[in-house]
Amino acid sequence: RRPRRHAGRRATVEGEMVPQAWTIRRLPLAEAEDRVAEMGGVYQRAFGYDRSRRHHFEQRLLMNLPRYRDVVVLAAEGPSGELLGFLYGYDLERGHWWPEQIAPALERAGLGDWLDDAFELAELEVDPPAQRQGIGSRLLRTLEGLTAHRHTLLSTTADPADRAKVLYRRHGFVDLLPGFRYGGVGDPAVIMGRRRA
C-alpha cells in the first residue's frame, strides 16, 4: 500500500506552533533510480567520504535496486523537495553478498532463525545539517509500517561513538553479532536485528 504523505509533527518556536519542515515519502523505483546522485551526496556528507567512495555507493545502489524483491526507498524531503535523508532496503535473499557474509556467523551463534522472513536494511543516512530533528526515527517508524517481515537486519560500525546504534536500539534493534568482521575488511562491524512483536 502507498503511505500517506504527512505534514509532520509540530514544534514550538518562541511559543508559537509551526509545521515541521520535512516530510517522509516512499519513492517509486524509477524516481529512486533518478535520485541516486542526491542520495550519494547525503551519503558522502554523512560519512565525510571522498568522491570515490560516493561513486562506489551510487553504482552499488543502481545495481541493487532492480535486483531485489520488496524494495523500499524512503526519502525525507525539505519544503522544496530537497533530500534531507533516506532509507533503503529489500527482502533479505540468500545467495546475495550480504546474507552470505552474515549467515554462517549467525548460524554458528545459534541465531540462524533471524535470517527467516527478514528485511535487509541496507542504508539509513541523514544529511549532517538535518540531523537531530527526528528524521532517522521517522524513517524507521515508516519502514516498520510498510513491511510485514518478521525480522529486520542491518550492519553498522563497531565504533563506540557511532550514534546510529543509539537510534537503532531506541527502535528495538539488538546486537546479534558485535565485533563481526567481513572478509577482507579490517574494521569490525555490529550486526543488529529487530524482531516484530
Side-chain angles (χ1 to χ4, degrees):
R1 66 179 195 267
R2 286 183 61 85
R4 292 182 306 176
R5 191 176 177 102
H6 62 82
R9 294 166 296 174
R10 299 174 74 83
T12 302
V13 177
E14 296 179 2
E16 183 180 343
M17 296 299 286
V18 296
Q20 187 170 268
W22 49 266
T23 57
I24 303 294
R25 184 167 65 93
R26 183 174 185 175
L27 301 183
L29 184 58
E31 183 180 352
E33 291 173 336
D34 287 343
R35 299 184 71 177
V36 161
E38 286 180 81
M39 287 187 266
V42 171
Y43 172 84
Q44 181 181 18
R45 291 187 294 275
F47 284 105
Y49 286 151
D50 59 23
R51 288 190 62 81
S52 66
R53 290 287 292 269
R54 171 180 174 171
H55 178 72
H56 176 73
F57 165 80
E58 292 172 0
Q59 294 303 306
R60 190 178 76 235
L61 181 53
L62 280 171
M63 180 179 67
N64 285 344
L65 287 176
R67 291 175 60 200
Y68 287 81
R69 296 189 303 263
D70 296 335
V71 175
V72 175
V73 182
L74 298 177
E77 297 174 311
S80 302
E82 69 275 20
L83 190 68
L84 303 178
F86 67 92
L87 172 158
Y88 83 90
Y90 20 70
D91 190 52
L92 185 137
E93 299 175 40
R94 297 294 293 261
H96 288 285
W97 181 83
W98 193 66
E100 293 308 303
Q101 287 281 311
I102 66 170
L106 285 170
E107 288 162 350
R108 284 194 301 271
L111 301 171
D113 64 312
W114 281 86
L115 298 162
D116 300 330
D117 190 17
F119 183 84
E120 179 180 339
L121 176 49
E123 205 76 52
L124 189 165
E125 303 301 341
V126 178
D127 216 346
Q131 291 177 6
R132 299 184 182 275
Q133 296 182 35
I135 291 175
S137 287
R138 179 66 70 172
L139 286 167
L140 286 171
R141 285 196 297 271
T142 303
L143 174 68
E144 188 172 16
L146 289 172
T147 61
H149 297 79
R150 186 175 178 219
H151 303 115
T152 302
L153 297 173
L154 62 86
S155 175
T156 189
T157 73
D159 180 355
D162 180 8
R163 295 197 319 265
K165 286 193 287 296
V166 176
L167 170 68
Y168 294 134
R169 287 175 182 140
R170 202 164 56 232
H171 286 270
F173 286 85
V174 296
D175 293 6
L176 300 176
L177 298 173
F180 177 78
R181 291 184 181 272
Y182 292 99
V185 178
D187 294 334
V190 178
I191 307 303
M192 304 182 75
R194 178 174 66 188
R195 198 188 301 271
R196 190 178 290 274

PDB file of all heavy atoms in Angstrom, residues 5 11 16 22-23 33-34 37 46-47 54-55 61 72 86 98 101 103 111 118 121 138 168 170 187 192:
ATOM      1  N   ARG A   5       1.175  10.776   2.624  1.00  0.00           N
ATOM      2  CA  ARG A   5       2.104  11.877   2.841  1.00  0.00           C
ATOM      3  C   ARG A   5       1.595  12.648   4.052  1.00  0.00           C
ATOM      4  O   ARG A   5       0.420  12.967   4.145  1.00  0.00           O
ATOM      5  CB  ARG A   5       2.122  12.789   1.605  1.00  0.00           C
ATOM      6  CG  ARG A   5       3.254  13.788   1.644  1.00  0.00           C
ATOM      7  CD  ARG A   5       3.253  14.589   0.349  1.00  0.00           C
ATOM      8  NE  ARG A   5       4.270  15.595   0.396  1.00  0.00           N
ATOM      9  CZ  ARG A   5       5.435  15.499  -0.208  1.00  0.00           C
ATOM     10  NH1 ARG A   5       5.715  14.416  -0.891  1.00  0.00           N
ATOM     11  NH2 ARG A   5       6.317  16.458  -0.120  1.00  0.00           N
ATOM     12  N   ALA A  11       6.243  21.803  16.093  1.00  0.00           N
ATOM     13  CA  ALA A  11       7.231  22.178  17.093  1.00  0.00           C
ATOM     14  C   ALA A  11       6.941  23.596  17.560  1.00  0.00           C
ATOM     15  O   ALA A  11       6.312  24.384  16.870  1.00  0.00           O
ATOM     16  CB  ALA A  11       8.642  22.106  16.498  1.00  0.00           C
ATOM     17  N   GLU A  16       5.144  29.674  19.596  1.00  0.00           N
ATOM     18  CA  GLU A  16       4.176  29.514  18.513  1.00  0.00           C
ATOM     19  C   GLU A  16       4.359  28.149  17.869  1.00  0.00           C
ATOM     20  O   GLU A  16       5.481  27.693  17.653  1.00  0.00           O
ATOM     21  CB  GLU A  16       4.395  30.610  17.465  1.00  0.00           C
ATOM     22  CG  GLU A  16       3.387  30.580  16.334  1.00  0.00           C
ATOM     23  CD  GLU A  16       3.649  31.687  15.332  1.00  0.00           C
ATOM     24  OE1 GLU A  16       4.372  32.642  15.658  1.00  0.00           O
ATOM     25  OE2 GLU A  16       3.134  31.579  14.216  1.00  0.00           O
ATOM     26  N   TRP A  22       9.909  19.071   7.231  1.00  0.00           N
ATOM     27  CA  TRP A  22      10.220  17.961   6.344  1.00  0.00           C
ATOM     28  C   TRP A  22       9.094  16.931   6.372  1.00  0.00           C
ATOM     29  O   TRP A  22       8.298  16.896   7.304  1.00  0.00           O
ATOM     30  CB  TRP A  22      11.551  17.300   6.718  1.00  0.00           C
ATOM     31  CG  TRP A  22      11.698  16.969   8.178  1.00  0.00           C
ATOM     32  CD1 TRP A  22      12.283  17.750   9.141  1.00  0.00           C
ATOM     33  CD2 TRP A  22      11.252  15.787   8.857  1.00  0.00           C
ATOM     34  NE1 TRP A  22      12.214  17.117  10.355  1.00  0.00           N
ATOM     35  CE2 TRP A  22      11.603  15.921  10.218  1.00  0.00           C
ATOM     36  CE3 TRP A  22      10.601  14.635   8.436  1.00  0.00           C
ATOM     37  CZ2 TRP A  22      11.315  14.942  11.165  1.00  0.00           C
ATOM     38  CZ3 TRP A  22      10.308  13.653   9.375  1.00  0.00           C
ATOM     39  CH2 TRP A  22      10.675  13.822  10.731  1.00  0.00           C
ATOM     40  N   THR A  23       9.056  16.130   5.329  1.00  0.00           N
ATOM     41  CA  THR A  23       8.085  15.050   5.220  1.00  0.00           C
ATOM     42  C   THR A  23       8.803  13.783   4.755  1.00  0.00           C
ATOM     43  O   THR A  23       9.916  13.842   4.220  1.00  0.00           O
ATOM     44  CB  THR A  23       6.965  15.381   4.211  1.00  0.00           C
ATOM     45  OG1 THR A  23       7.560  15.667   2.943  1.00  0.00           O
ATOM     46  CG2 THR A  23       6.149  16.576   4.663  1.00  0.00           C
ATOM     47  N   GLU A  33      15.834   5.619  -8.678  1.00  0.00           N
ATOM     48  CA  GLU A  33      16.987   5.495  -9.574  1.00  0.00           C
ATOM     49  C   GLU A  33      17.410   6.861 -10.106  1.00  0.00           C
ATOM     50  O   GLU A  33      18.604   7.138 -10.243  1.00  0.00           O
ATOM     51  CB  GLU A  33      16.656   4.526 -10.707  1.00  0.00           C
ATOM     52  CG  GLU A  33      16.518   3.091 -10.221  1.00  0.00           C
ATOM     53  CD  GLU A  33      16.017   2.136 -11.291  1.00  0.00           C
ATOM     54  OE1 GLU A  33      15.349   2.591 -12.243  1.00  0.00           O
ATOM     55  OE2 GLU A  33      16.289   0.924 -11.161  1.00  0.00           O
ATOM     56  N   ASP A  34      16.438   7.731 -10.382  1.00  0.00           N
ATOM     57  CA  ASP A  34      16.759   9.074 -10.875  1.00  0.00           C
ATOM     58  C   ASP A  34      17.448   9.929  -9.814  1.00  0.00           C
ATOM     59  O   ASP A  34      18.154  10.889 -10.147  1.00  0.00           O
ATOM     60  CB  ASP A  34      15.485   9.802 -11.332  1.00  0.00           C
ATOM     61  CG  ASP A  34      14.943   9.258 -12.649  1.00  0.00           C
ATOM     62  OD1 ASP A  34      15.699   8.560 -13.365  1.00  0.00           O
ATOM     63  OD2 ASP A  34      13.770   9.520 -12.949  1.00  0.00           O
ATOM     64  N   ALA A  37      22.101  10.146  -7.380  1.00  0.00           N
ATOM     65  CA  ALA A  37      23.161  11.133  -7.137  1.00  0.00           C
ATOM     66  C   ALA A  37      22.866  11.964  -5.892  1.00  0.00           C
ATOM     67  O   ALA A  37      23.780  12.298  -5.123  1.00  0.00           O
ATOM     68  CB  ALA A  37      23.334  12.039  -8.355  1.00  0.00           C
ATOM     69  N   ALA A  46      27.401  12.571   5.097  1.00  0.00           N
ATOM     70  CA  ALA A  46      27.151  11.940   6.396  1.00  0.00           C
ATOM     71  C   ALA A  46      28.394  11.246   6.932  1.00  0.00           C
ATOM     72  O   ALA A  46      28.660  11.265   8.136  1.00  0.00           O
ATOM     73  CB  ALA A  46      25.994  10.944   6.276  1.00  0.00           C
ATOM     74  N   PHE A  47      29.179  10.645   6.035  1.00  0.00           N
ATOM     75  CA  PHE A  47      30.371   9.917   6.461  1.00  0.00           C
ATOM     76  C   PHE A  47      31.662  10.708   6.279  1.00  0.00           C
ATOM     77  O   PHE A  47      32.711  10.297   6.781  1.00  0.00           O
ATOM     78  CB  PHE A  47      30.493   8.598   5.686  1.00  0.00           C
ATOM     79  CG  PHE A  47      29.556   7.528   6.161  1.00  0.00           C
ATOM     80  CD1 PHE A  47      28.431   7.205   5.416  1.00  0.00           C
ATOM     81  CD2 PHE A  47      29.798   6.852   7.333  1.00  0.00           C
ATOM     82  CE1 PHE A  47      27.555   6.219   5.846  1.00  0.00           C
ATOM     83  CE2 PHE A  47      28.932   5.854   7.773  1.00  0.00           C
ATOM     84  CZ  PHE A  47      27.810   5.540   7.024  1.00  0.00           C
ATOM     85  N   ARG A  54      31.819   7.739  -2.677  1.00  0.00           N
ATOM     86  CA  ARG A  54      30.474   8.123  -3.100  1.00  0.00           C
ATOM     87  C   ARG A  54      30.125   7.438  -4.420  1.00  0.00           C
ATOM     88  O   ARG A  54      29.019   6.905  -4.564  1.00  0.00           O
ATOM     89  CB  ARG A  54      30.388   9.642  -3.256  1.00  0.00           C
ATOM     90  CG  ARG A  54      29.098  10.109  -3.901  1.00  0.00           C
ATOM     91  CD  ARG A  54      29.044  11.614  -4.036  1.00  0.00           C
ATOM     92  NE  ARG A  54      27.862  12.041  -4.777  1.00  0.00           N
ATOM     93  CZ  ARG A  54      27.466  13.298  -4.893  1.00  0.00           C
ATOM     94  NH1 ARG A  54      28.160  14.266  -4.318  1.00  0.00           N
ATOM     95  NH2 ARG A  54      26.385  13.593  -5.578  1.00  0.00           N
ATOM     96  N   HIS A  55      31.034   7.444  -5.369  1.00  0.00           N
ATOM     97  CA  HIS A  55      30.780   6.822  -6.666  1.00  0.00           C
ATOM     98  C   HIS A  55      30.500   5.333  -6.497  1.00  0.00           C
ATOM     99  O   HIS A  55      29.572   4.782  -7.117  1.00  0.00           O
ATOM    100  CB  HIS A  55      31.975   7.038  -7.593  1.00  0.00           C
ATOM    101  CG  HIS A  55      31.815   6.401  -8.936  1.00  0.00           C
ATOM    102  ND1 HIS A  55      30.949   6.883  -9.891  1.00  0.00           N
ATOM    103  CD2 HIS A  55      32.394   5.290  -9.474  1.00  0.00           C
ATOM    104  CE1 HIS A  55      31.009   6.106 -10.961  1.00  0.00           C
ATOM    105  NE2 HIS A  55      31.875   5.138 -10.732  1.00  0.00           N
ATOM    106  N   LEU A  61      24.115   1.060  -5.477  1.00  0.00           N
ATOM    107  CA  LEU A  61      22.688   1.306  -5.337  1.00  0.00           C
ATOM    108  C   LEU A  61      21.960   1.106  -6.667  1.00  0.00           C
ATOM    109  O   LEU A  61      20.917   0.442  -6.724  1.00  0.00           O
ATOM    110  CB  LEU A  61      22.469   2.721  -4.799  1.00  0.00           C
ATOM    111  CG  LEU A  61      21.031   3.181  -4.541  1.00  0.00           C
ATOM    112  CD1 LEU A  61      20.290   2.199  -3.644  1.00  0.00           C
ATOM    113  CD2 LEU A  61      21.028   4.565  -3.924  1.00  0.00           C
ATOM    114  N   VAL A  72      12.214  -1.081  -0.727  1.00  0.00           N
ATOM    115  CA  VAL A  72      11.626   0.104  -0.107  1.00  0.00           C
ATOM    116  C   VAL A  72      12.679   1.201  -0.122  1.00  0.00           C
ATOM    117  O   VAL A  72      13.798   0.999   0.360  1.00  0.00           O
ATOM    118  CB  VAL A  72      11.184  -0.160   1.348  1.00  0.00           C
ATOM    119  CG1 VAL A  72      10.694   1.140   2.009  1.00  0.00           C
ATOM    120  CG2 VAL A  72      10.090  -1.221   1.405  1.00  0.00           C
ATOM    121  N   PHE A  86      17.533   9.560   3.768  1.00  0.00           N
ATOM    122  CA  PHE A  86      16.900   8.467   3.031  1.00  0.00           C
ATOM    123  C   PHE A  86      17.153   7.151   3.736  1.00  0.00           C
ATOM    124  O   PHE A  86      18.054   7.022   4.576  1.00  0.00           O
ATOM    125  CB  PHE A  86      17.431   8.393   1.591  1.00  0.00           C
ATOM    126  CG  PHE A  86      18.876   8.001   1.487  1.00  0.00           C
ATOM    127  CD1 PHE A  86      19.238   6.666   1.341  1.00  0.00           C
ATOM    128  CD2 PHE A  86      19.875   8.951   1.550  1.00  0.00           C
ATOM    129  CE1 PHE A  86      20.574   6.287   1.257  1.00  0.00           C
ATOM    130  CE2 PHE A  86      21.213   8.592   1.464  1.00  0.00           C
ATOM    131  CZ  PHE A  86      21.565   7.258   1.328  1.00  0.00           C
ATOM    132  N   TRP A  98      25.531  -9.849   1.004  1.00  0.00           N
ATOM    133  CA  TRP A  98      25.458  -9.587   2.441  1.00  0.00           C
ATOM    134  C   TRP A  98      24.896 -10.766   3.237  1.00  0.00           C
ATOM    135  O   TRP A  98      25.497 -11.170   4.239  1.00  0.00           O
ATOM    136  CB  TRP A  98      24.655  -8.303   2.712  1.00  0.00           C
ATOM    137  CG  TRP A  98      24.804  -7.827   4.125  1.00  0.00           C
ATOM    138  CD1 TRP A  98      25.940  -7.356   4.724  1.00  0.00           C
ATOM    139  CD2 TRP A  98      23.784  -7.800   5.128  1.00  0.00           C
ATOM    140  NE1 TRP A  98      25.686  -7.011   6.031  1.00  0.00           N
ATOM    141  CE2 TRP A  98      24.365  -7.276   6.303  1.00  0.00           C
ATOM    142  CE3 TRP A  98      22.437  -8.139   5.142  1.00  0.00           C
ATOM    143  CZ2 TRP A  98      23.650  -7.099   7.491  1.00  0.00           C
ATOM    144  CZ3 TRP A  98      21.711  -7.964   6.321  1.00  0.00           C
ATOM    145  CH2 TRP A  98      22.329  -7.453   7.470  1.00  0.00           C
ATOM    146  N   GLN A 101      27.514 -13.291   3.717  1.00  0.00           N
ATOM    147  CA  GLN A 101      28.559 -12.881   4.662  1.00  0.00           C
ATOM    148  C   GLN A 101      28.144 -13.166   6.103  1.00  0.00           C
ATOM    149  O   GLN A 101      28.922 -13.669   6.906  1.00  0.00           O
ATOM    150  CB  GLN A 101      28.852 -11.383   4.508  1.00  0.00           C
ATOM    151  CG  GLN A 101      29.622 -11.012   3.264  1.00  0.00           C
ATOM    152  CD  GLN A 101      31.104 -11.303   3.408  1.00  0.00           C
ATOM    153  OE1 GLN A 101      31.733 -10.931   4.392  1.00  0.00           O
ATOM    154  NE2 GLN A 101      31.656 -11.978   2.429  1.00  0.00           N
ATOM    155  N   ALA A 103      25.337 -14.965   7.294  1.00  0.00           N
ATOM    156  CA  ALA A 103      24.603 -16.184   7.630  1.00  0.00           C
ATOM    157  C   ALA A 103      25.444 -17.196   8.403  1.00  0.00           C
ATOM    158  O   ALA A 103      24.978 -17.708   9.438  1.00  0.00           O
ATOM    159  CB  ALA A 103      24.023 -16.819   6.373  1.00  0.00           C
ATOM    160  N   LEU A 111      21.752 -18.232  15.988  1.00  0.00           N
ATOM    161  CA  LEU A 111      20.813 -17.160  15.648  1.00  0.00           C
ATOM    162  C   LEU A 111      20.334 -17.253  14.202  1.00  0.00           C
ATOM    163  O   LEU A 111      19.894 -16.265  13.621  1.00  0.00           O
ATOM    164  CB  LEU A 111      21.486 -15.799  15.884  1.00  0.00           C
ATOM    165  CG  LEU A 111      21.976 -15.524  17.312  1.00  0.00           C
ATOM    166  CD1 LEU A 111      22.818 -14.261  17.356  1.00  0.00           C
ATOM    167  CD2 LEU A 111      20.790 -15.422  18.263  1.00  0.00           C
ATOM    168  N   ALA A 118      13.116 -12.099   6.646  1.00  0.00           N
ATOM    169  CA  ALA A 118      13.887 -10.927   7.080  1.00  0.00           C
ATOM    170  C   ALA A 118      13.954  -9.855   6.003  1.00  0.00           C
ATOM    171  O   ALA A 118      13.980 -10.147   4.808  1.00  0.00           O
ATOM    172  CB  ALA A 118      15.303 -11.352   7.475  1.00  0.00           C
ATOM    173  N   LEU A 121      17.926  -4.005   5.879  1.00  0.00           N
ATOM    174  CA  LEU A 121      18.007  -2.540   5.901  1.00  0.00           C
ATOM    175  C   LEU A 121      19.412  -2.156   5.461  1.00  0.00           C
ATOM    176  O   LEU A 121      20.371  -2.236   6.221  1.00  0.00           O
ATOM    177  CB  LEU A 121      17.706  -2.003   7.302  1.00  0.00           C
ATOM    178  CG  LEU A 121      17.840  -0.496   7.526  1.00  0.00           C
ATOM    179  CD1 LEU A 121      17.117   0.297   6.464  1.00  0.00           C
ATOM    180  CD2 LEU A 121      17.348  -0.117   8.906  1.00  0.00           C
ATOM    181  N   ARG A 138      11.767   8.814  12.287  1.00  0.00           N
ATOM    182  CA  ARG A 138      10.571   8.775  11.450  1.00  0.00           C
ATOM    183  C   ARG A 138      10.765   7.809  10.273  1.00  0.00           C
ATOM    184  O   ARG A 138       9.840   7.100   9.879  1.00  0.00           O
ATOM    185  CB  ARG A 138      10.241  10.170  10.941  1.00  0.00           C
ATOM    186  CG  ARG A 138       9.032  10.234  10.039  1.00  0.00           C
ATOM    187  CD  ARG A 138       7.743   9.903  10.743  1.00  0.00           C
ATOM    188  NE  ARG A 138       7.377  10.948  11.678  1.00  0.00           N
ATOM    189  CZ  ARG A 138       6.220  11.005  12.318  1.00  0.00           C
ATOM    190  NH1 ARG A 138       5.324  10.066  12.124  1.00  0.00           N
ATOM    191  NH2 ARG A 138       5.952  11.972  13.162  1.00  0.00           N
ATOM    192  N   TYR A 168      19.151   2.961  16.631  1.00  0.00           N
ATOM    193  CA  TYR A 168      18.609   1.640  16.346  1.00  0.00           C
ATOM    194  C   TYR A 168      18.119   0.957  17.622  1.00  0.00           C
ATOM    195  O   TYR A 168      17.049   0.335  17.639  1.00  0.00           O
ATOM    196  CB  TYR A 168      19.657   0.775  15.644  1.00  0.00           C
ATOM    197  CG  TYR A 168      20.031   1.283  14.268  1.00  0.00           C
ATOM    198  CD1 TYR A 168      21.364   1.361  13.867  1.00  0.00           C
ATOM    199  CD2 TYR A 168      19.058   1.694  13.367  1.00  0.00           C
ATOM    200  CE1 TYR A 168      21.713   1.827  12.608  1.00  0.00           C
ATOM    201  CE2 TYR A 168      19.399   2.161  12.107  1.00  0.00           C
ATOM    202  CZ  TYR A 168      20.724   2.225  11.741  1.00  0.00           C
ATOM    203  OH  TYR A 168      21.050   2.695  10.491  1.00  0.00           O
ATOM    204  N   ARG A 170      17.007   2.340  20.275  1.00  0.00           N
ATOM    205  CA  ARG A 170      15.785   3.017  20.699  1.00  0.00           C
ATOM    206  C   ARG A 170      14.574   2.482  19.940  1.00  0.00           C
ATOM    207  O   ARG A 170      13.440   2.560  20.417  1.00  0.00           O
ATOM    208  CB  ARG A 170      15.938   4.523  20.485  1.00  0.00           C
ATOM    209  CG  ARG A 170      15.014   5.372  21.327  1.00  0.00           C
ATOM    210  CD  ARG A 170      15.423   6.823  21.388  1.00  0.00           C
ATOM    211  NE  ARG A 170      15.533   7.427  20.076  1.00  0.00           N
ATOM    212  CZ  ARG A 170      16.589   8.103  19.636  1.00  0.00           C
ATOM    213  NH1 ARG A 170      17.657   8.240  20.391  1.00  0.00           N
ATOM    214  NH2 ARG A 170      16.592   8.639  18.438  1.00  0.00           N
ATOM    215  N   ASP A 187      38.133  -3.400   9.700  1.00  0.00           N
ATOM    216  CA  ASP A 187      37.349  -2.789  10.772  1.00  0.00           C
ATOM    217  C   ASP A 187      36.153  -3.662  11.133  1.00  0.00           C
ATOM    218  O   ASP A 187      35.425  -4.127  10.259  1.00  0.00           O
ATOM    219  CB  ASP A 187      36.848  -1.403  10.345  1.00  0.00           C
ATOM    220  CG  ASP A 187      37.995  -0.425  10.153  1.00  0.00           C
ATOM    221  OD1 ASP A 187      39.042  -0.617  10.790  1.00  0.00           O
ATOM    222  OD2 ASP A 187      37.841   0.517   9.353  1.00  0.00           O
ATOM    223  N   MET A 192      22.962  -6.017  13.715  1.00  0.00           N
ATOM    224  CA  MET A 192      21.846  -5.785  14.629  1.00  0.00           C
ATOM    225  C   MET A 192      20.554  -6.302  14.003  1.00  0.00           C
ATOM    226  O   MET A 192      20.456  -6.423  12.782  1.00  0.00           O
ATOM    227  CB  MET A 192      21.698  -4.286  14.947  1.00  0.00           C
ATOM    228  CG  MET A 192      22.956  -3.654  15.506  1.00  0.00           C
ATOM    229  SD  MET A 192      22.748  -1.881  15.924  1.00  0.00           S
ATOM    230  CE  MET A 192      21.790  -2.029  17.454  1.00  0.00           C
TER     231      MET A 192
END
